[in-house]
Amino acid sequence: MKSKKQKPDFLHLGIKLLHWFETNARNLPWRKTNDPYKIWICEILLQQTQVKQGLNHYLKFVERFPNVESLAAADEDEVLLYWKGLGYYSRALNLHKASKQICNDFKGKFPENYADILSLKGVGKYTAAAIASIAFNLKYPAIDGNFYRVLSRLFADDFDVSKPSAFQYFSELALLLMPDDHFGDFNEAMMDLGAEICKPKNPACEHCPFNIDCLAFNSGKISNFPVKSKKTKVTDLDLTYFFINFEDQFLVKRRKEDFIWKKLYEFAIEIPPEFEKYIIGHNVISHKLTHKNLKISINNVQILDFALFQKFALENDFEMVDFKRSRLKSFPKPLQNYLAKIEKKEDFQGELFN
DNA sequence: AAGCCGGGGCA
DNA sequence: TGCCCAGGCTT
């Protein structure tokens, strides 16, 4: 008989996590439902997005699109509108595609096994595991940034989470902890622990159910984990727009380029030389993205002749909108901010609506 | 395996 | 300023 165990009692840790979750679960709207559709929506929405940031969008999205049929029947443009301001807009485009996929390939019934869920556009290994476990109680660990952080700290494990193989590595580790039931609760518990206790910075170790087990905490090396070799590279990007308006109407067009903001609305990116005399000022907006520092120059072009304004719009495939109607279109965040500002006539270089 | 996609929050 | 987040897709 061994006097001391060399390895941690993995299953004991998993059960302890479930107990912690019983009294510490966050009260979130999508946890009141067993509807796989709504669980799917929330999992996609919360990719790289924090709860506080996405909660309102979730509520409005499922109110407008309460089921797969309503989402599949909607215009792509309207689906994008309900994603306005969230970022990673391909998520919305993929949601829309996948809803048609469910209607066509699965007869409108949400797929109930891991492989079929994984086949949905925009659903990867993490999201498939989350849906399978939460909606159908299947035993798949939903390996994400929380799992990486919690497990690497718990075992003071220096496996590089930047490597693609980290997914497989931490999946196997998570399976050792995973109890034989309540798989969805287990995954949600890990999410909550990662979000509220085992945070990236300033973790609340004094409130952590694992604080007597955590090798990183007990060796004073929490900040050493997780190990991540890949660093964020930031590049500069300059954009120039022409905000062309006649009285309270202005010109917008859907983006075709997909290097950023695919299919969102923007202003004109060029004007004919004869329009240059109508430029009455310009604004510069700085906007930070994860991988880019944007500098957006917006020239304000005021057209006084409606016939000229309309002719240019028609010949160049622009839409004429006013502020009220522009709210029904999805603009990139900086342009959305710009419209909000000039509607209130703040910081606007040039005359508008005079 | 590496690069890319948004935006908000934090130290 | 750099890095974090309930990642996935493309190359």
Side-chain angles (χ1 to χ4, degrees), chain A residues 198-209:
Chain A
C198 198
K199 298 177 289 184
K201 288 170 184 171
N202 299 330
C205 299
E206 67 277 16
H207 296 127
C208 182

Side-chain angles (χ1 to χ4, degrees), chain A residues 1 84 88 111 140 167 174 211 231 261 265 279 307 350:
Chain A
M1 179 175 171
K84 178 154 70 172
Y88 284 125
Y140 292 93
F167 182 87
N211 57 13
K231 302 300 179 190
W261 300 329
Y265 282 84
I279 297 176

Side-chain angles (χ1 to χ4, degrees), chain A residues 229-276:
Chain A
S229 63
K230 201 165 64 180
K231 302 300 179 190
T232 309
K233 278 186 182 173
V234 178
T235 57
D236 292 332
L237 177 64
D238 292 350
L239 296 173
T240 300
Y241 285 120
F242 295 90
F243 182 80
I244 306 171
N245 82 289
F246 172 82
E247 296 180 350
D248 65 340
Q249 295 188 74
F250 51 90
L251 302 184
V252 302
K253 187 191 284 193
R254 285 244 269 176
R255 278 188 69 82
K256 292 175 183 170
E257 294 82 358
D258 64 351
F259 72 91
I260 192 174
W261 300 329
K262 185 179 185 179
K263 296 193 177 181
L264 268 58
Y265 282 84
E266 63 181 356
F267 309 138
I269 58 175
E270 59 184 357
I271 53 171
E274 59 266 31
F275 270 34
E276 285 173 7

Side-chain angles (χ1 to χ4, degrees), chain A residues 90-136:
Chain A
S90 63
R91 291 182 294 173
L93 301 175
N94 285 336
L95 269 181
H96 192 218
K97 286 179 194 164
S99 69
K100 294 173 181 289
Q101 205 179 335
I102 293 169
C103 287
N104 296 332
D105 301 351
F106 298 100
K107 301 177 181 175
K109 185 170 174 55
F110 201 95
E112 299 187 355
N113 66 76
Y114 179 81
D116 285 345
I117 297 169
L118 185 60
S119 75
L120 298 175
K121 191 79 174 164
V123 174
K125 288 178 292 185
Y126 160 76
T127 306
I131 297 171
S133 64
I134 296 170
F136 304 112

Side-chain angles (χ1 to χ4, degrees), chain A residues 245-248 280 302-304 345 350-354:
Chain A
N245 82 289
F246 172 82
E247 296 180 350
D248 65 340
I280 57 173
Q302 189 169 39
I303 308 295
L304 300 174
K345 301 186 181 181
E351 295 296 318
L352 194 67
F353 318 146
N354 56 345

Side-chain angles (χ1 to χ4, degrees), chain A residues 1 4 23 34 59 104 125 146 159 163 171 210-212 227 319 324 335 347 349-350:
Chain A
M1 179 175 171
K4 206 170 186 178
T23 51
N34 289 321
L59 294 173
N104 296 332
K125 288 178 292 185
N146 289 311
F159 197 101
K163 296 162 75 82
S171 290
F210 291 146
N211 57 13
I212 62 170
V227 172
E319 273 187 65
K324 187 177 173 65
L335 299 190
D347 301 329
Q349 300 301 310

